[in-house]
Amino acid sequence: MLILLPPSEGKTAPESGAKYSPAALGYPSLKKTRAQVMRALVDLCSGSSDHAVSVLGLGPKQRELVGVNAALAKAPAAPAIDIYTGVLYEALDFASLPSIARKRADSTVAIASALFGLLRPSDRIPAYRLSGDTTLPDLGTLSSVWKPAISGVLAEVKGPIIDLRSGAYLALGPIPEEAVDRSLIGRVLLERGGKRSVVSHHNKATKGRLTREVLKHGKVPKTIDKVPGYLAELGFPSEIREPKKDGDPLGLDIIVYET
């Protein structure tokens, strides 16, 4: 089973360490596209900072991130799971997991990235700023650039896929036809007074906690019909949801009850 996670805008930059090595990353079929996106981002951020700020959608207090991107080739790298921050990754609390659970992560979790496509948690990367809905000059929308490469990787995944990516990162690499019948598009719903709604904080924190429990548990279901029962055993009641369009993957509603 593979859990697909979104990245986070917030990142912790390593203060030292070896620089990023493209050849050392997992999912080697993404190497060419990674190089294209990296080159386009560095070129953008090595030119007019005003233009880069506009293209990247940065706020007035985020201008320094242009310089961070311009220096990516020389920046120190650290495991992706340590780079990404925010509610989801705080709830996952990877560093506190037992060592055997951390060892399972590379075969159980993939992190979506606008710059790197997909990452194993242990893949060493620099901190960067690039959102999934960005259009880079001379390259185009990131969804058009990444879609064939990421979907190609997902087509080769064996076993169930629980896709917990957010919308912009789903668009970077939709579940391909070859994997539709073994994939679930997850969302988190808060049930309050008999009514269900999507709440951002519950969404992110629940995805982090769910991933943590899967890594601790070890054993995973072999087919998607077993997923709801498996998650219920871990403390995450869920329901299968029919897709809105024929040919799309089934949905997975993970329910959080207000206490």
Side-chain angles (χ1 to χ4, degrees):
M1 186 174 80
L2 184 68
I3 298 175
L4 297 174
L5 294 179
S8 63
E9 286 195 358
K11 300 175 182 68
T12 299
E15 296 181 359
S16 61
K19 67 180 184 179
Y20 158 66
S21 173
L25 297 186
Y27 307 110
S29 63
L30 303 179
K31 182 178 179 180
K32 180 179 179 180
T33 309
R34 286 169 176 155
Q36 290 176 327
V37 178
M38 174 76 79
R39 184 166 53 251
L41 180 61
V42 171
D43 286 350
L44 168 68
C45 293
S46 298
S48 165
S49 60
D50 287 342
H51 182 50
V53 164
S54 176
V55 170
L56 298 175
L58 302 178
K61 297 181 179 181
Q62 298 174 309
R63 184 173 289 269
E64 74 277 2
L65 296 176
V66 174
V68 170
N69 284 345
L72 282 174
K74 299 179 180 179
I81 198 67
D82 296 331
I83 294 289
Y84 294 114
T85 60
V87 173
L88 189 157
Y89 291 92
E90 289 172 3
L92 173 54
D93 195 12
F94 187 79
S96 72
L97 283 168
S99 60
I100 191 170
R102 296 197 302 271
K103 289 178 181 178
R104 295 185 185 112
D106 278 359
S107 60
T108 308
V109 175
I111 303 171
S113 167
L115 181 55
F116 299 106
L118 290 174
L119 293 164
R120 301 173 303 183
S122 69
D123 283 336
R124 299 181 67 86
I125 60 169
Y128 65 94
R129 176 56 182 260
L130 183 65
S131 299
D133 57 0
T134 303
T135 299
L136 289 173
D138 301 322
L139 194 62
T141 63
L142 290 178
S143 59
S144 66
V145 173
W146 276 118
K147 190 178 296 184
I150 294 176
S151 293
V153 169
L154 298 179
E156 300 299 322
V157 172
K158 306 301 181 184
I161 297 174
I162 299 180
D163 194 342
L164 301 181
R165 294 175 294 174
S166 50
Y169 294 93
L170 277 164
L172 291 189
I175 298 295
E177 182 180 352
E178 298 91 330
V180 164
D181 62 354
R182 48 191 168 82
S183 299
L184 296 167
I185 306 296
R187 65 178 183 179
V188 178
L189 299 178
L190 174 65
E191 183 164 316
R192 178 192 292 128
K195 295 183 179 180
R196 295 176 177 179
S197 61
V198 176
V199 181
S200 179
H201 181 85
H202 285 283
N203 172 53
K204 295 175 182 178
T206 301
K207 289 176 179 179
R209 289 194 296 267
L210 183 152
T211 303
R212 179 181 177 85
E213 293 305 314
V214 169
L215 292 175
K216 286 170 61 179
H217 190 270
K219 293 183 180 180
V220 295
K222 302 297 184 183
T223 57
I224 60 173
D225 61 298
K226 303 293 185 182
V227 169
Y230 167 79
L231 293 181
E233 290 180 7
L234 298 183
F236 298 90
S238 61
E239 302 170 358
I240 298 292
R241 182 182 73 256
E242 289 297 321
K244 292 183 178 180
K245 295 191 301 182
D246 291 342
D248 283 352
L250 292 168
L252 178 70
D253 288 345
I254 304 158
I255 314 302
V256 176
Y257 295 93
E258 186 177 53
T259 57

